[in-house]
């Protein structure tokens, strides 16, 4: 018996050793590769912008089959492309690779046929000419031995802004130092034949679950149906709305947005998003807050990771189920602004892995506070079903509207009802965006969206009057400020006095009736910080002829891609006719961006020492107990009292001209460099500055009962004002309930250190007739106010 067991064991070992290891063979057709490209980026893309696209890498916007590793030239603007495949040589040799490209281009080559082993071998960081092989040191690879008959997986990327575009990969044998580079052609390349190949999103299917409806393919080979809603707050699939609260200063969700009277029920505007990210058009407003509520579903049961980016401060909550009360089950936070695709700035950005079930609804919520400069909020996920486990933005296909909000924008506020055949869209009494039906070119023509002419404000509109345009008729009066444009006699230079960071622009060409041939046709654009040294923006631009009509809406001008400049120079190479040349108007999207350290004003009355940083942010130091830790750099202090909740660190100089005091709750650290001049007065106290602020607040306001709590009607009958007072830091919860004690909405639920009288606005437009209660829980106290909706 023992001998038999030994024989069986040996047999098993032999079977395991001889079992073939099966691997996916992705080598496709010989002699060709696919050039895949993705278009529609708002500015010059890079790899991070490409990788987060939901349809990367197997669902390009377009593709072409190539017989060599060189893409078409001057295809379009603002796109990214990828060629992936295999290289095989007949005999073992050592090769050197070289890449040229416009704009940025990267070449990866694996150590074998596995994509997992790819290594970056060469790259172009800016741009080169087609045969400009030595412009940058990284264009040429190290010596690489390729074994004859072995397939080597490769990836070739190209990222394009404006102007010319291409990428080309060439090689030579290392031993042939005098041989000219040759483009790798069909003799050595093979198509990549793997990747997901699924029915398009929206294709009807059957998920096998009789309880679901509207079963559709999600584009990733998952058949997804709409499961029964667990509560009445689950709204339409694919609808996700952001509510915006304008004119709220400050940088923080907790201290500034949540304490604003209009948050969360009285927003100023809203927009429909394409997914769990926004706004649709960034960088158009400052000093606002955002609230987004909805439900997330997943097409496959499994583990999901989430990542949050945002600018400014951004909070994201993900419930354990469809119940809003459980939203704090998972949280991601961005305390200070990060770039759209900056996933690793802080561990607080991450949630997961979270086990999530198909067919289950999960409530989610964004809270976002923007102060100045850029603005965005983005939710990414890594899923069990994407082809490559990379961060992808969460699209609206998996999202559902939260329809239990009672938020209401003020009646008659202009809006967009997304119907091109209506005009004068405004918020009605039921908080809906409604337009007046119309037909004809005044309704569905894009120019109808342009602001109507206002004779009292001609600089913001375009007319057909000569007096409102600019024209140049002299060829010799003033030379072009840029010597490189000496042949361009007609030019206009804008001096903005300070340095700005420029993004997009809009141009209105010369629009005088019957004289539109004076409009610029072929144009160059240059920028400068000093008015002497100029940089070209792209190559040349072709500007369309104006219409000579009073409702002329112009066209999108050059994208400056965040260049920093004081001067913009526009030169006409030729116009649409002959003689004089001119334009009607040009508008620039720009923000002030003086050099790092330049004094500025961040418009926050609680900060001092406001200065620009390297990212064009104007930021000050909060000296009035507005932060946990206050750090003071090595500079002369000017203000008197500096306060922090916990800690002050200083390297500063205390002047003789003003008394200086530090107050902190835990510690005051005087770092090397801190100096008190002779006869200067400096005082440091370990004390509770929150309590000190409360005492000051009590002295500044009339005495009131600590339990003061009331509601009253505003001038707008459907907007109630809730007034209450906080006399000491406390947990505060403010809720609206119906006559059956059912919770309708929670206006506040957080620990508040904002002392004194507080106000919240409560619109009643969406409330049905009946009795309601506003309930305030303040520490261990609970107060209630009743009101009636009778409409």
């Amino acid at each position: 018996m023992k001998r038999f067991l030994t024989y069986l064991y040996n047999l098993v070992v032999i079977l395991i050793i001889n079992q073939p290891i099966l691997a996916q063979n992705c080598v496709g057709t010989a002699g060709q590769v696919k050039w895949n490209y993705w278009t529609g980026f708002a500015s010059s893309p890079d790899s991070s912008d490409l990788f987060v696209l939901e349809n990367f890498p197997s669902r390009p916007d377009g593709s072409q089959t190539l017989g060599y590793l060189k893409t078409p030239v001057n295809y379009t603007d603002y796109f990214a492309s990828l060629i992936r495949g295999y290289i095989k040589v007949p005999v073992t040799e050592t090769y050197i690779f070289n890449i040229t490209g416009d704009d940025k281009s990267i070449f990866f080559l694996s150590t074998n046929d596995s994509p997992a082993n790819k290594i970056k071998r060469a790259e172009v960081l800016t741009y080169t000419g087609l045969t400009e092989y030595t412009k940058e040191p990284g264009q040429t690879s190290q010596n690489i031995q390729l074994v004859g008959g072995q397939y080597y997986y490769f990836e070739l990327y190209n990222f394009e802004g404006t102007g010319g575009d291409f990428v080309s990969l060439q090689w030579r044998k290392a031993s042939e130092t005098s041989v000219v580079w040759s483009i790798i052609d069909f003799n050595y390349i093979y198509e990549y034949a793997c990747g997901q190949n699924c029915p398009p999103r929206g294709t009807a299917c059957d998920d096998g679950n009789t309880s679901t409806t509207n079963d559709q393919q999600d584009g990733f080979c998952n058949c997804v149906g709409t499961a029964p809603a667990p509560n009445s707050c689950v709204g339409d699939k694919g609808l996700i709305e952001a509510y915006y609260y304008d004119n709220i200063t400050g940088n923080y969700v907790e201290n500034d947005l949540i304490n604003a009277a209009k948050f969360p029920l009285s927003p100023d505007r809203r927009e429909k998003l394409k997914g769990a990210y926004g706004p649709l058009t960034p960088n158009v407003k400052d000093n606002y807050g955002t609230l987004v509520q909805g439900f997330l579903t997943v097409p496959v049961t499994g583990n999901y990771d989430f990542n949050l980016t945002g600018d400014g401060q951004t909070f994201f909550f993900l419930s354990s189920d469809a119940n809003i009360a459980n939203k704090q089950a998972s949280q991601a936070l961005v305390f200070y602004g990060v770039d759209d695709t900056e996933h690793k700035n802080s561990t607080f950005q991450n949630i997961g892995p979270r086990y999530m079930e198909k067919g289950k609804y999960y409530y989610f919520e964004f809270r976002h506070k923007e102060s100045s400069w850029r603005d965005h909020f983005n939710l990414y996920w890594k899923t069990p079903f994407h082809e490559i486990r990379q961060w992808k933005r969460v699209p609206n296909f998996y999202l559902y509207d939260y329809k239990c909000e009672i938020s209401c924008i003020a009646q008659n506020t202009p809006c967009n009802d997304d119907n091109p055949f209506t005009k004068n869209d405004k918020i009605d009494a039921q908080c809906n965006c409604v337009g007046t039906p119309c037909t004809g070119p005044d309704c569905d023509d894009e120019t109808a969206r342009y602001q109507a002419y206002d004779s009292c404000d001609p600089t913001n509109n375009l007319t057909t009057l000569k007096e409102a345009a600019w024209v140049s008729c002299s060829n010799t009066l003033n030379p072009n400020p840029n010597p490189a444009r000496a042949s361009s006699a007609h030019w206009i230079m804008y001096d903005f006095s300070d340095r700005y960071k420029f993004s997009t622009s809009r141009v209105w060409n010369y629009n005088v009736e019957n004289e539109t041939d004076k409009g610029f046709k072929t144009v160059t654009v240059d920028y400068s910080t000093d008015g002497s040294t100029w940089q070209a923006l792209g190559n040349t631009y072709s500007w369309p002829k104006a219409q000579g009509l009073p409702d002329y809406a112009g066209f999108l001008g050059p994208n400056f891609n965040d260049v920093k400049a004081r001067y913009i120079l526009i030169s006409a190479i030729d116009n649409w006719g002959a003689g004089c040349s001119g334009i009607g108007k040009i508008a620039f999207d720009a923000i002030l961006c003086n050099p790092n350290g330049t004094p500025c004003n961040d418009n926050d009355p609680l900060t001092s020492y406001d200065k620009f940083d390297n990212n064009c942010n104007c930021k000050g130091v909060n000296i009035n107990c507005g932060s946990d830790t206050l750090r003071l750099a090595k500079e002369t202090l000017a203000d008197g009292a500096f306060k922090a909740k916990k800690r002050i660190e200083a390297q500063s100089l205390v002047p003789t001209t003003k008394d200086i005091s530090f107050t902190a709750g835990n510690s005051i650290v005087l770092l090397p460099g801190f100096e008190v001049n002779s006869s200067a007065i400096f005082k440091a106290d370990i004390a509770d500055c929150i309590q000190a602020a409360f005492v000051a607040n009590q002295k500044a306001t009339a005495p009131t009962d600590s339990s003061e709590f009331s509601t009253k009607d505003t001038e707008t009958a459907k907007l109630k004002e809730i007034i209450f007072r906080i006399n000491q830091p406390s947990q505060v919860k403010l809720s609206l309930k119906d006559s059956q004690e059912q919770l309708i909405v929670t206006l506040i639920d957080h620990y508040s250190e904002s002392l004194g009288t507080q106000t919240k606005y409560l619109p009643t437009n969406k409330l049905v007739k009946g009795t309601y209660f506003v309930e305030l829980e303040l520490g261990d106290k609970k107060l209630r106010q009743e009101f009636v909706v009778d409409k």
Side-chain angles (χ1 to χ4, degrees):
M1 186 66 179
K2 181 178 180 181
R3 183 177 300 172
F4 173 76
L5 289 174
T6 303
Y7 170 77
L8 181 59
Y9 172 80
N10 291 335
L11 177 62
V12 172
V13 172
I14 292 172
L15 287 174
I16 292 175
I17 291 174
N18 288 281
Q19 179 68 31
I21 299 175
L22 300 177
Q24 186 180 27
N25 182 8
C26 296
V27 178
T29 305
Q32 66 181 45
V33 288
K34 281 285 184 65
W35 175 54
N36 295 328
Y37 49 85
W38 292 261
T39 60
F41 293 95
S43 59
S44 298
D46 57 21
S47 58
S48 60
D49 298 314
L50 177 63
F51 293 166
V52 299
L53 292 182
E54 189 190 17
N55 57 359
F56 175 83
S58 291
R59 295 163 186 78
D61 296 330
S63 64
Q64 293 184 25
T65 300
L66 305 177
Y68 40 79
L69 299 188
K70 174 182 169 297
T71 66
V73 177
N74 295 338
Y75 175 70
T76 187
D77 291 334
Y78 301 122
F79 78 98
S81 70
L82 166 65
I83 300 173
R84 53 178 174 168
Y86 297 88
I87 293 173
K88 186 179 76 169
V89 295
V91 295
T92 300
E93 291 278 2
T94 299
Y95 288 84
I96 305 175
F97 293 85
N98 178 275
I99 185 174
T100 56
D102 184 355
D103 293 330
K104 183 176 180 179
S105 303
I106 311 174
F107 168 57
F108 292 88
L109 181 69
S110 177
T111 56
N112 52 27
D113 61 352
S114 172
N117 296 324
K118 68 181 182 183
I119 300 171
K120 183 168 68 174
R121 307 290 189 170
E123 66 180 335
V124 171
L125 297 176
T126 54
Y127 62 88
T128 73
L130 186 60
T131 59
E132 195 174 5
Y133 304 121
T134 59
K135 181 181 180 182
E136 298 180 8
Q139 287 180 247
T140 303
S141 74
Q142 300 294 320
N143 291 1
I144 303 172
Q145 185 184 68
L146 301 183
V147 177
Q150 167 72 51
Y151 292 99
Y152 292 90
Y153 174 81
F154 76 89
E155 293 177 357
L156 184 61
Y157 291 90
N158 180 223
F159 303 96
E160 165 62 6
T162 58
D165 56 82
F166 75 92
V167 63
S168 175
L169 185 68
Q170 37 274 332
W171 63 354
R172 63 175 172 80
K173 295 178 181 178
S175 58
E176 299 174 342
T177 56
S178 61
V179 175
V180 178
W181 295 108
S182 60
I183 295 174
I184 303 172
D185 64 16
F186 60 91
N187 291 293
Y188 309 99
I189 58 177
Y190 295 78
E191 187 174 354
Y192 181 77
C194 292
Q196 287 182 326
N197 184 16
C198 305
R201 173 170 288 172
T203 303
C205 58
D206 183 0
D207 67 357
N209 186 342
T210 57
S211 66
T212 61
T213 59
N214 193 29
D215 299 355
Q216 296 180 2
Q217 287 283 342
D218 70 346
F220 296 93
C221 301
N222 303 310
C223 184
V224 183
T226 299
N231 59 55
S232 59
C233 292
V234 177
D236 296 337
K237 179 178 181 178
L239 175 61
I240 188 73
E241 291 186 307
Y243 287 88
Y244 299 112
Y245 308 81
D246 294 331
N247 302 317
I248 299 176
T249 58
N251 305 296
Y252 306 109
V253 170
E254 290 286 343
N255 294 337
D256 302 310
L257 175 61
I258 291 178
N259 291 330
K262 62 178 69 175
F263 183 85
L265 300 182
S266 187
D268 295 286
R269 53 194 173 91
R270 70 185 177 199
E271 69 176 354
K272 296 178 182 178
L273 304 179
K274 296 180 180 179
Y277 52 90
L280 288 181
T281 307
N283 307 327
V284 296
K285 279 186 176 288
D286 292 330
N287 294 316
Y288 72 87
T290 309
L291 175 65
V292 181
Q293 296 173 279
F295 296 92
L296 170 67
T297 61
V298 297
V300 174
T301 296
N303 287 324
Y304 290 75
D305 291 277
F306 296 89
N307 180 270
L308 178 71
T309 66
D311 192 350
Q313 193 174 84
T314 310
F315 291 6
F316 175 74
F317 304 92
L318 181 62
S319 179
S320 55
D321 52 25
N323 189 348
I324 189 175
N326 299 325
K327 73 177 185 181
Q328 292 185 329
S330 297
Q331 301 178 47
L333 311 173
V334 174
F335 289 103
Y336 305 100
V338 301
D339 289 338
D340 297 54
T341 56
E342 191 176 352
H343 303 296
K344 297 180 179 180
N345 184 274
S346 166
T347 57
F348 294 108
Q349 293 176 246
N350 299 316
I351 295 174
R354 267 282 304 266
Y355 182 78
M356 306 186 75
E357 301 176 42
K358 179 179 180 179
K360 187 174 180 178
Y361 293 85
Y362 299 87
Y363 173 83
F364 73 87
E365 180 176 311
F366 285 96
R367 293 186 176 191
H368 164 245
K369 178 65 186 71
E370 161 64 9
S371 56
S372 61
W373 190 36
R374 61 187 182 185
D375 53 335
H376 61 88
F377 51 92
N378 302 272
L379 181 67
Y380 299 87
W381 62 0
K382 290 181 180 178
T383 74
F385 60 87
H386 278 98
E387 176 183 353
I388 299 177
R389 194 167 174 79
Q390 293 174 324
W391 292 120
K392 304 288 185 181
R393 285 189 177 93
V394 179
N396 60 7
F397 182 86
Y398 307 105
L399 305 180
Y400 289 79
D401 182 37
Y402 178 78
K403 68 176 184 179
C404 283
E405 79 278 348
I406 62 170
S407 305
C408 191
I409 300 171
Q411 190 172 349
N412 295 320
T413 300
C415 58
N416 182 4
D417 67 359
D418 296 321
N419 184 348
F421 298 101
T422 60
K423 61 182 180 180
N424 300 325
D425 302 352
K426 295 180 179 179
I427 300 294
D428 66 10
Q430 288 72 45
C431 308
N432 299 310
C433 184
V434 178
T436 303
C438 62
T439 58
D442 65 326
C443 186
D444 57 356
D445 187 350
E446 279 298 317
T447 60
R449 296 183 180 274
Y450 182 60
Q451 182 180 356
Y453 171 65
D454 181 354
S455 59
C456 296
D457 193 10
T459 59
N460 287 339
N461 303 274
L462 197 66
T463 78
T464 57
L465 299 176
K466 292 182 180 181
E467 293 80 2
W470 172 87
V471 66
S472 168
C473 293
S474 172
N475 292 329
T476 59
L477 186 60
N478 290 309
N480 195 299
N482 183 359
R485 308 296 186 199
S487 61
S488 299
H490 303 297
W491 54 270
I492 182 169
M493 183 182 74
Y494 296 89
D495 180 355
F496 294 94
S497 299
D498 286 295
R499 191 181 76 164
Y500 284 78
K501 184 171 73 171
F502 292 86
S503 53
T504 58
S505 65
R506 190 168 188 85
V507 177
W508 291 260
N509 217 334
Y510 196 76
N511 194 48
V512 177
E513 188 176 4
N514 299 321
E515 296 183 19
T516 56
D517 58 352
K518 294 180 180 178
F520 281 18
K521 182 179 181 182
T522 307
V523 179
T524 60
V525 180
D526 302 290
Y527 60 93
S528 172
T529 57
D530 58 10
S532 300
T533 303
W534 295 92
Q535 296 289 328
L537 185 73
N539 295 321
T540 60
Y541 299 89
S542 296
W543 285 4
K545 193 175 182 181
Q547 301 165 342
L549 300 174
D551 60 354
Y552 170 52
F555 56 91
L556 288 176
N559 190 320
F560 287 81
N561 296 315
D562 294 341
V563 301
K564 300 178 181 69
R566 172 178 170 176
Y567 302 89
I568 301 294
L569 174 65
I570 301 173
S571 307
I573 298 176
D574 57 28
N575 61 20
W576 284 96
C580 302
S581 297
I583 59 174
K585 185 175 71 170
I586 182 169
F588 302 92
D589 290 323
I591 62 169
L592 189 63
C593 185
N594 276 320
N596 182 34
T598 304
C600 58
N601 181 6
D602 67 359
N603 296 313
D604 186 344
L606 299 180
T607 63
S608 295
Y609 306 102
D610 303 350
K611 295 179 180 179
F612 280 99
D613 63 15
N614 285 321
N615 295 317
C616 306
N617 294 312
C618 179
K619 293 183 177 180
V621 178
N622 192 320
I623 67 170
N624 292 316
C625 204
S627 59
D628 287 342
T629 299
L630 178 61
R631 294 180 174 89
L632 302 174
K634 188 172 180 59
E635 55 190 311
T636 302
L637 302 178
D639 294 87
F642 293 78
K643 302 174 184 178
K645 298 172 189 176
K646 296 180 181 180
R647 179 181 176 93
I648 294 179
E649 299 175 0
Q651 295 178 286
S652 311
L653 172 66
V654 176
T656 59
T657 56
K658 194 165 189 178
D659 296 350
I660 299 295
S661 67
F662 288 177
T663 302
N666 296 337
S667 61
I668 296 173
V669 180
L670 305 180
L671 299 169
F674 182 86
E675 182 180 349
V676 180
N677 278 340
S678 174
S679 74
I681 298 177
F682 171 70
K683 179 182 178 181
D685 288 318
I686 301 299
D688 186 348
C689 66
I690 292 289
Q691 180 61 26
F694 168 58
V695 172
N697 180 70
Q698 281 187 314
K699 293 178 180 179
T701 59
T704 58
D705 182 76
S706 62
S707 63
E708 180 181 351
F709 175 52
S710 64
T711 63
K712 68 177 184 179
D713 291 333
T714 65
E715 294 181 4
T716 303
K718 293 184 177 181
L719 184 65
K720 289 194 172 293
E721 192 175 62
I722 305 170
I723 304 169
F724 59 99
R725 186 176 179 83
I726 302 176
N727 285 338
Q728 61 183 10
S730 307
Q731 182 68 30
V732 180
K733 186 173 183 178
L734 182 65
S735 308
L736 175 65
K737 295 183 178 180
D738 63 17
S739 59
Q740 305 300 314
E741 296 295 322
Q742 296 297 309
L743 177 66
I744 297 174
V745 64
T746 299
L747 287 81
I748 302 176
D749 187 7
H750 74 124
Y751 187 83
S752 177
E753 295 178 342
S754 296
L755 309 181
T757 301
Q758 313 289 318
T759 301
K760 282 292 177 183
Y761 294 134
L762 171 62
T764 62
N765 307 61
K766 294 183 179 181
L767 298 178
V768 299
K769 290 182 179 181
T771 301
Y772 295 88
F773 298 95
V774 177
E775 184 174 276
L776 174 67
E777 297 178 54
L778 188 60
D780 57 356
K781 297 180 180 179
K782 182 178 290 188
L783 308 171
R784 286 164 67 95
Q785 283 283 329
E786 177 184 318
F787 68 92
V788 176
V789 174
D790 185 13
K791 57 182 179 180

